[in-house]
Structure formats: C-alpha cells, structure tokens
Amino acid sequence: MGLTLADAIAPPDGSGHECQWTLNFGPQHPATHTTLRLVLNLDGEVILKATPDIGFLHSGFEKLGEHLDFNQYVTIVDRMNYVSPVANEIAWHHSVETLLDIKLTPRCQMIRVIFAELMRIHDHLLACGAAALDLGAFTAFLYAFNQRELINDINEWATGQRFHPSYTRVGGLQRDVDDDWIGRVRSFLKGFPAAHADICRLLNRNRIFIDRCKGIGVLTREEAINRSATGPVARASGVVRDLRKNRPYLAYEAIDFDVVCSQDGDCLARYLVRMEEMLESHKIIAWAIENLPSGPVNSNVDDRMVLPNQLSVYRSIEGLIHHFELNMTNRKWQPPVDEVYASTESPNGELGFYIVSNGAPEAWRARTRPPSFIHFSLFPHLAEGHTVSDVAAILGSLNIIAAELDR
Amino acid sequence: MSTPEAYTPPESHAAIVALAKSVAGCDSLIVSGFRDNVRLEVPPAASLEALRKLRSHAGLDLLVDLSAADYLNYPNAVHRYGIWYVLESVETGIRLVVKTWADDPDPRVDSVFDVWRGADWMEREVFDLFGIVFEGHPDLRRILMPDEFSSHPLRKDYPLRGDGERHNFHALSREES
C-alpha cells in the first residue's frame, strides 16, 4: 500500500511552532453543509496545513453511467449538483447530443437556456445565502430560500418534480411548457429584483460580513488558471472566461449579457460575482421568455433519436414502432464508436462530460468534470495562514456540493 | 475511432499540432478529431515533455480535465488504458485533447503535477479508480475510496453488482481510532 491519509495529515516538520495541534473539521459539521472532512494542523488559531479528506458520499455515479442508457442516466446526473439539478441534465445531454450530432429545435434551446439560468440563480442564491449563514447572517439565507422556493415551483410546474426533475431527454425535453409556466416565470422575474436588493442591503455594506470576507482566501489569477479553477471562482480572480461567451452552446450566441468579473480573488469578490451574475441571469431569462420561439420542442422525429409523444404511440403504428425501438434493450441509439468532450457553463463552473462510446446506447465511460471537486482542491492553498474561523468563509465562497465532489 | 489519415485538423490548431510534433518522440503522433474535438495521441514516454511544451509555447494554460478510461474489450483497442488531458487557452479559447496510454501489468504515466497544479486531485482520482500510477506525483494516495480499499472500481473487470467490500474493513477499536 502506498501513501495513506495518516502520512498526509502528519504535522509539518521543523516548523518550530511549539503549540501545534490538530483539529478535525467535519465530516459532520454545520459549515460543511454536507459530508466532507478537513484535518487542520493549527498553531494556536492559525492554519499551518489543511488536508481535505473526501469520499464520504462516493456512490459510484460514473460506474452507473456505464450501465444506464443516455436517457436513464439523467436521473443520476441531476443528483450530482442537487442545488442546480437541471444544469447538470443540460450538460449531460449536451455531451450526448454532441456525440450523436443532434440539432435541437429553437424552442428546446430557449427553454433549456431559461432553465439553465433559473438554475444559476437557484445555485447562487444558495451559495450566497449559505455563505452568509455560516458567517452568522441568518436573514439573508431566509430571503434567498424564499426565492428558491419559487424556482422549485417553476420546476414542478414544468416537470412534475421540484428537486430532481430529470427534465431533459436526448434531443429534446420530457414535455413542453405551457402558458401557465410562462406566467409563473414572469411573476418570478417581477419579484426577484426586490428580493435580490434585500439581500444586497443586508450584506453588501455589512461591516461584519465584509470584515470576515475581505482579503480572506485570496486566489490570484495565475493560481486560478494553474489550479484549473473555472466559473465564478475563476472570474472573481480576474479570469475572463465564460463558456456561454467563449464556446456558445444552446441559444447563448443570440442573447445579450455581460460576463461578471472581479480582480480581488477573495471571498468577498466571489460573493459579489455571484450576486451580479444573478442579475445577468435575470436579464437573460427576461429576454428569453419574451422571445420563446414556437414550434416543436423535440428534434426531428424521423431521426429516431427522441421518444415520440404519447398520442402518436397509442394512435399510430409508426409511433408505436418508434417507441419500441428506443426502449428495447437491443435497439435504442447507435452512436459512433468514438469519444467526445463537451462542456457547459454550470453555475459552479465548467461542467463537462467526456463520453467514450463503443456504439452501444450506454456510454463506455461517462467521465464527469466536476467543478466542486476541482474547487475543493484549492482549499488548502486558500486556507493556509488564515484562522479557523475563516474556514467557514472560504468553504462558503467555494460552494462545495459534496454529492458532486464525490459522485 | 475515425481513421486518422482522413483527418486534417482545423487551421486554428495547425501550429499547435506542428509544435507537438517537434517534441522528441512525437514525430509520428496520431492526429484525429471528432465533432469539435481535436485529439493528439502522444506516446507515454513523451507525454510529459509534449504537455509541458504545449503549455509553455502554445499558450494552452488551463488543464480543463484529466481522466482515464479502461478499454478492456473495446472495439479495436490496442492499449488497455487511455488517459486524456483536455487543454484550453484562456486567451484564445482554443481547445485540444491530448491522449496517451498505459498497459497492464504495471500501468504508469508521468505526472503533470509540476506543469499544472490542477492535476493534483484529478491524477489522484485516476489512480484511485483505475490504479494508474502517476510517476512524480508527490502525494499519490486514494481520494474517493478509503485507504484500505484493495481494488480499482472503474476498471471494466470490476463488477457493477456484488457482495461488496465490507470484509476488507476491520472494526476499529477505541485505541486505534
């Protein structure tokens, strides 16, 4: 057996500190929100070395991805980052559709954009709210969760599920949205700016919050790139990179929005970038909901990639055959024997899937590129030299979702 | 795999491919592509040098992804494990997939820890789930599975269903904990 955790958590040699001690932080700790463990070597209150120990929530998602077909695996994928489930589904099916070379209909693209941006707001509300909660600002968290409830209702109206909707399908969606749903999104859009302003008023000029975030956990631009940071964490360090702009997918090319960046790279910058991004997402949804194209939501039925609707299954022989062909274990899709990496800008950062296909309707290998995993590897770098109380601020600002971290 | 001789990389990648071919041991590397991915297959002996050069001379400064797959019984597979590095330039947005390989009984490739610190946990994850050793990685331990775990679950010869591995873990006494 090679190196073990015991080797890694040994106190640093020869540092000359007399009053060193070791603190176990987690796996069950309110500030970790889920199960992750940190072993901190401390000198008094100052962190000399932080060693993350993860894997408590490892449930073999990628192994399951090799045994479930492209539509079935979506139910696993949205349990990865359960704070923004539909964003994961969109990322997964984006990769599958790249592999199968499916062109989505304009309506499907726009609905996916709306969902992706709703999920961004959903995720950032939790990230900012929980970051504030960990630092003692309870009210902001409640304001954020009020808005998250409304987004859950929107999810439910479109998909029948609040939390794990499994909404996307290869080449389309589980079902189309209706006018009531559009009304719900509109009413959410109407109320959101006021709630956002409430949270800003509670936190942005809050002396305690700023003191606990400013200058804590600074990530420079060079280190952000060197350590593979993406998404709001990288953008808060001045890396101007947003896949929605750099490698446009869905309908993002046609939509006008700004990429939010900061140059400070500390916990406060990450908080502020997330808060601003919510307003950009609001702008995108407001445009998209008024410019929602009509037409079919699933791509061309003749391609035999998308499940036909219920009526045509029950009332036509072609529909029935088609339905069987996509459900029988020896039929389904026939992807090319090749491999592809495709990624989307999820709320937390770049969420990509590398799919290796052997021509079967299940992936040979379904690799997830999980932003939380990579951001958590930044933690020792960010925490060293700070005090124990800053651990909560840094963890909150990275928005680690353990289900995605361990998969 | 699409046939390599039929593939010519897009113009944006021409300089990068030429640069990679100039690395010692890479003159006959295979260039392939699929959809918008451009892939270079680099022999493991030259992979570290090629990746180092791609970072320093071609500006591919972001290691987006690093992982592996087990190609046991995969159609027309030559090597058992494939390891890929998805690289991207933050400035230009050019993306490149570099692939290398490893084989049983002792799968190992050079670690790119010194080139990108972001490779740290990604290499540990591949080591944990596939048992591929990254030579030169300073802290190569299991990351998702516990230290006592004896197999590598993402290998194709590891079953999806089974009795589990519980017998491998002994109960801790109070003194040991």
Side-chain angles (χ1 to χ4, degrees):
Chain A
M1 202 160 73
L3 290 167
T4 62
L5 182 67
D7 304 323
I9 63 175
D13 306 324
S15 45
H17 297 276
E18 281 187 359
C19 42
Q20 276 189 30
W21 56 297
T22 303
L23 179 71
N24 261 309
F25 192 95
Q28 304 291 343
H29 185 281
T32 65
H33 291 287
T34 33
T35 44
L36 44 91
R37 177 182 171 215
L38 294 163
V39 184
L40 306 170
N41 290 108
L42 302 169
D43 173 18
E45 257 200 275
V46 179
I47 300 167
L48 296 177
K49 192 171 88 171
T51 313
D53 177 22
I54 65 170
F56 295 94
L57 233 58
H58 178 62
S59 18
F61 283 178
E62 291 181 11
K63 189 84 175 171
L64 285 169
E66 298 170 2
H67 293 85
L68 297 174
D69 78 28
F70 297 140
N71 271 345
Q72 290 167 338
Y73 188 47
V74 81
T75 58
I76 308 290
V77 162
D78 66 7
R79 280 152 178 81
M80 283 181 186
N81 186 344
Y82 50 78
V83 182
S84 51
V86 186
N88 301 324
E89 297 165 11
I90 291 169
W92 164 248
H93 275 140
H94 177 62
S95 295
V96 172
E97 283 148 9
T98 313
L99 176 75
L100 294 166
D101 202 18
I102 298 175
K103 298 277 172 289
L104 295 175
T105 61
R107 184 175 175 84
C108 175
Q109 288 190 343
M110 203 59 91
I111 294 174
R112 283 195 189 183
V113 165
I114 294 171
F115 264 102
E117 296 308 322
L118 281 172
M119 286 302 125
R120 197 176 313 280
I121 295 178
H122 202 236
D123 194 294
H124 286 354
L125 279 172
L126 179 109
C128 295
L133 173 70
D134 293 346
L135 301 179
F138 203 97
T139 318
F141 173 75
L142 294 177
Y143 282 12
F145 261 63
N146 250 341
Q147 294 300 307
R148 295 191 78 222
E149 274 308 301
L150 298 177
I151 298 179
N152 278 335
D153 290 346
I154 292 172
N155 272 351
E156 187 183 17
W157 199 264
T159 70
Q161 271 256 39
R162 289 162 59 79
F163 217 65
H164 295 301
S166 307
Y167 187 45
T168 61
R169 293 287 182 272
V170 178
L173 297 170
Q174 178 207 356
R175 56 178 159 184
D176 201 352
V177 296
D178 56 14
D179 289 346
D180 287 347
W181 182 81
I182 293 174
R184 276 168 182 262
V185 175
R186 281 198 185 121
S187 74
F188 166 74
L189 289 175
K190 213 169 158 194
F192 178 70
H196 184 272
D198 278 345
I199 301 172
C200 284
R201 271 200 296 276
L202 277 171
L203 295 176
N204 284 14
R205 293 177 61 213
N206 182 325
R207 181 47 49 201
I208 302 169
F209 183 72
I210 291 175
D211 281 351
R212 292 202 59 185
C213 287
K214 201 165 177 57
I216 304 297
V218 177
L219 184 69
T220 61
R221 185 175 187 276
E222 287 69 39
E223 278 301 305
I225 295 173
N226 191 21
R227 290 169 188 263
S228 301
T230 51
V233 175
R235 284 194 286 275
S237 299
V239 181
V240 188
R241 178 173 179 274
D242 188 322
L243 292 169
R244 293 173 293 173
K245 287 275 189 208
N246 294 18
R247 313 177 72 81
Y249 53 97
L250 298 178
Y252 281 113
E253 207 157 13
I255 301 175
D256 177 44
F257 66 98
D258 296 325
V259 177
V260 184
C261 285
S262 165
Q263 294 193 321
D264 296 347
D266 54 2
C267 291
L268 186 65
R270 290 191 275 276
Y271 158 76
L272 289 173
V273 163
R274 284 203 172 92
M275 289 302 277
E276 268 320 292
E277 274 191 6
M278 283 195 257
L279 293 182
E280 290 303 316
S281 294
H282 182 271
K283 198 164 94 185
I284 295 173
I285 303 169
W287 186 87
I289 201 81
E290 301 310 328
N291 290 280
L292 190 63
S294 54
V297 77
N298 286 339
S299 64
N300 195 355
V301 178
D302 295 337
D303 293 345
R304 297 278 163 100
M305 296 290 186
V306 193
L307 283 174
N309 65 30
Q310 199 181 10
L311 269 184
S312 77
V313 174
Y314 284 124
R315 299 206 181 153
S316 75
I317 187 68
E318 291 81 10
L320 187 66
I321 293 172
H322 180 177
H323 181 86
F324 266 102
E325 289 212 328
L326 279 181
N327 279 299
M328 284 162 73
T329 45
N330 57 347
R331 295 283 203 284
K332 300 190 185 178
W333 306 270
Q334 284 159 345
V337 183
D338 213 317
E339 46 197 72
V340 74
Y341 177 77
S343 56
T344 60
E345 183 74 30
S346 85
N348 234 353
E350 173 163 354
L351 178 65
F353 285 92
Y354 193 106
I355 304 180
V356 181
S357 164
N358 65 337
E362 302 90 20
W364 180 265
R365 168 96 168 92
R367 151 76 176 165
T368 320
R369 188 246 185 240
S372 287
F373 183 78
I374 286 155
H375 290 158
F376 197 38
S377 74
L378 299 167
F379 182 82
H381 171 70
L382 297 180
E384 271 156 35
H386 291 296
T387 58
V388 178
S389 58
D390 297 331
V391 168
I394 296 170
L395 272 181
S397 76
L398 291 175
N399 189 25
I400 307 297
I401 310 294
E404 182 183 64
L405 176 72
D406 297 342
R407 282 154 292 135
Chain B
M1 303 271 167
S2 54
T3 45
E5 55 271 16
Y7 181 78
T8 42
E11 236 168 69
S12 54
H13 289 71
I16 292 175
V17 173
L19 181 80
K21 281 188 177 173
S22 70
V23 177
C26 291
D27 43 350
S28 60
L29 62 83
I30 301 168
V31 186
S32 62
F34 183 65
R35 308 293 184 231
D36 63 343
N37 289 15
V38 180
R39 272 194 305 259
L40 302 182
E41 276 186 57
V42 178
S47 66
L48 177 60
E49 212 35 57
L51 287 163
R52 200 188 288 279
K53 202 159 183 184
L54 285 171
R55 170 162 193 177
S56 58
H57 289 68
L60 297 169
D61 46 4
L62 181 70
L63 177 70
V64 175
D65 189 23
L66 186 166
S67 195
D70 181 355
Y71 292 94
L72 182 72
N73 301 328
Y74 186 80
N76 303 322
V78 185
H79 303 284
R80 169 126 192 220
Y81 305 103
I83 299 109
W84 58 77
Y85 307 80
V86 182
L87 312 179
E88 192 175 308
S89 161
V90 173
E91 289 300 320
T92 60
I94 286 180
R95 192 178 268 180
L96 180 76
V97 181
V98 177
K99 280 201 77 174
T100 186
W101 60 81
D103 273 304
D104 277 341
D106 184 23
R108 43 180 74 230
V109 287
D110 289 328
S111 167
V112 293
F113 186 90
D114 294 334
V115 189
W116 291 278
R117 278 301 298 273
D120 183 355
W121 279 27
M122 297 195 237
E123 287 185 344
R124 279 178 63 191
E125 191 189 353
V126 173
F127 166 72
D128 187 359
L129 301 178
F130 290 94
I132 299 170
V133 174
F134 288 86
E135 272 178 287
H137 191 295
D139 187 25
L140 196 64
R141 9 181 213 106
R142 285 183 178 271
I143 185 161
L144 295 178
M145 311 306 283
D147 288 334
E148 300 86 358
F149 203 76
S150 54
S151 35
H152 302 289
L154 271 185
R155 286 188 178 182
K156 284 285 171 184
D157 48 14
Y158 190 87
L160 178 70
R161 292 190 175 84
D163 294 336
E165 304 268 351
R166 201 160 286 193
H167 55 277
N168 285 333
F169 304 102
H170 70 284
L172 283 181
S173 67
R174 182 157 283 281
E175 285 70 41
E176 284 173 296
S177 65

